[in-house]
Amino acid sequence: MAVMDEFREERDKIKHGTFKEKWKYFWDYYKWHVIGGTLGLIMVIWIVYDVTHQNESVLYVAFLNCASVYDTSEYVASVEEYLGVEDGQALTIDSSLDLTDDNTEAYYSYETLAVRIAANELDVMVAEEEFIYGYASGDSLIDLTTVMTEEQMERYSDYFYYIDYALIESGYYDNEELSYEDLVFEGTAGHVSPEDMEQPVAVGVYISTTNEPGDYVCTSAEFNQNYYYSEPAIFTLMCYSEHTEAALQFLDFICGYTS
């Protein structure tokens, strides 16, 4: 029997079938769409409620694809003390977002991140370059040289992650066929060599949770006991952030400059 004939026969069965048969057909073909849509709706409702019923945000940090200990409350409390967080204010350090796999958890993480960004709630994003370059090339990150103090510039300028703003303005990154691997191969994903760029902009700081030498500044032992990246990550500030001072104080804290 031809494929189209089989399709017509199946369609007629559904059209004239019982409610139970119609429901079975719908569920067999569309159950994952229904489940995904329902989870997405629940997540959006939860985030909107969370945003509208929370204390005044002092700083919102997302560590993407980061391994962390189960209970980081003691470390978060030490950060709150360092930043001077008061009653009625909130510091959020979210290390639960994992975008590395193609599964329900990654879907939830992507949706959560998208909603936080759309709500202009996320201040700091830390992740490996593969996950940062898209936001950097989309002109979504702050030029750190415009917000850092002279002391911070002295500390971190050797570890800056750059993006070539001339490529952003030219629309180079708008090519959807370009993969991250393509950009790395061409040397345009962003790196620590501003002399090779036409218009270099420092949009991040390379950090590492190891003490091995390299083009990054190492984080403190206290940070390493609570959060871990298998390779150097990049500390960035979102362009809409209104908490840049607190964000840079947090960078000082995680890198051990607390005195």
Side-chain angles (χ1 to χ4, degrees):
M1 182 182 294
V3 175
M4 287 304 297
D5 291 337
E6 291 181 0
F7 174 76
R8 292 191 185 96
E9 182 177 328
E10 186 69 19
R11 185 184 61 183
D12 289 339
K13 286 182 181 179
I14 299 303
K15 181 177 181 181
H16 301 290
T18 64
F19 174 80
K20 184 177 180 180
E21 291 172 333
K22 291 179 179 179
W23 173 253
K24 183 178 184 303
Y25 176 84
F26 172 82
W27 187 246
D28 287 344
Y29 281 88
Y30 297 104
K31 62 181 176 182
W32 293 116
H33 296 78
V34 173
I35 293 173
T38 302
L39 289 175
L41 179 61
I42 292 173
M43 182 192 62
V44 169
I45 292 174
W46 175 79
I47 291 177
V48 169
Y49 178 85
D50 181 56
V51 169
T52 57
H53 290 76
Q54 64 183 1
N55 293 330
E56 175 194 359
S57 178
V58 171
L59 189 67
Y60 197 110
V61 179
F63 290 120
L64 306 186
N65 312 324
C66 175
S68 64
V69 300
Y70 180 74
D71 184 6
T72 58
S73 58
E74 185 175 340
Y75 183 80
V76 173
S78 64
V79 179
E80 289 177 335
E81 181 179 359
Y82 181 73
L83 295 181
V85 178
E86 302 175 350
D87 291 340
Q89 297 179 324
L91 164 71
T92 302
I93 302 177
D94 188 353
S95 59
S96 68
L97 304 181
D98 189 345
L99 314 177
T100 56
D101 296 317
D102 186 13
N103 54 26
T104 302
E105 182 179 352
Y107 173 80
Y108 170 81
S109 295
Y110 273 112
E111 289 293 319
T112 300
L113 185 61
V115 172
R116 297 296 186 188
I117 291 175
N120 291 346
E121 186 179 16
L122 182 63
D123 296 298
V124 173
M125 181 189 298
V126 181
E128 299 93 339
E129 182 177 1
E130 181 176 356
F131 293 91
I132 291 294
Y133 91 93
Y135 295 96
S137 60
D139 198 16
S140 299
L141 305 177
I142 286 179
D143 178 355
L144 297 178
T145 64
T146 65
V147 292
M148 280 187 169
T149 64
E150 291 184 8
E151 186 176 14
Q152 288 167 335
M153 285 288 294
E154 184 176 348
R155 287 173 180 170
Y156 303 115
S157 59
D158 289 340
Y159 312 107
F160 279 157
Y161 167 78
Y162 292 90
I163 197 76
D164 193 341
Y165 200 80
L167 294 180
I168 296 177
E169 291 184 321
S170 70
Y172 172 81
Y173 291 108
D174 296 335
N175 185 351
E176 297 181 356
E177 295 182 359
L178 278 175
S179 67
Y180 173 71
E181 289 73 19
D182 293 331
L183 297 175
V184 171
F185 179 77
E186 296 178 7
T188 53
H191 45 73
V192 292
S193 303
E195 63 272 12
D196 297 332
M197 297 180 175
E198 181 180 343
Q199 193 176 347
V201 178
V203 295
V205 174
Y206 280 99
I207 63 173
S208 173
T209 55
T210 73
N211 290 318
E212 298 176 1
D215 294 326
Y216 43 79
V217 59
C218 291
T219 46
S220 66
E222 291 75 19
F223 180 88
N224 298 351
Q225 291 169 2
N226 288 273
Y227 305 96
Y228 175 76
Y229 282 98
S230 59
E231 59 184 72
I234 300 170
F235 179 102
T236 65
L237 272 171
M238 306 305 292
C239 63
Y240 52 74
S241 174
E242 297 180 353
H243 306 122
T244 56
E245 183 177 352
L248 293 174
Q249 286 181 316
F250 179 66
L251 175 62
D252 287 341
F253 187 87
I254 67 175
C255 292
Y257 296 105
T258 57
S259 58

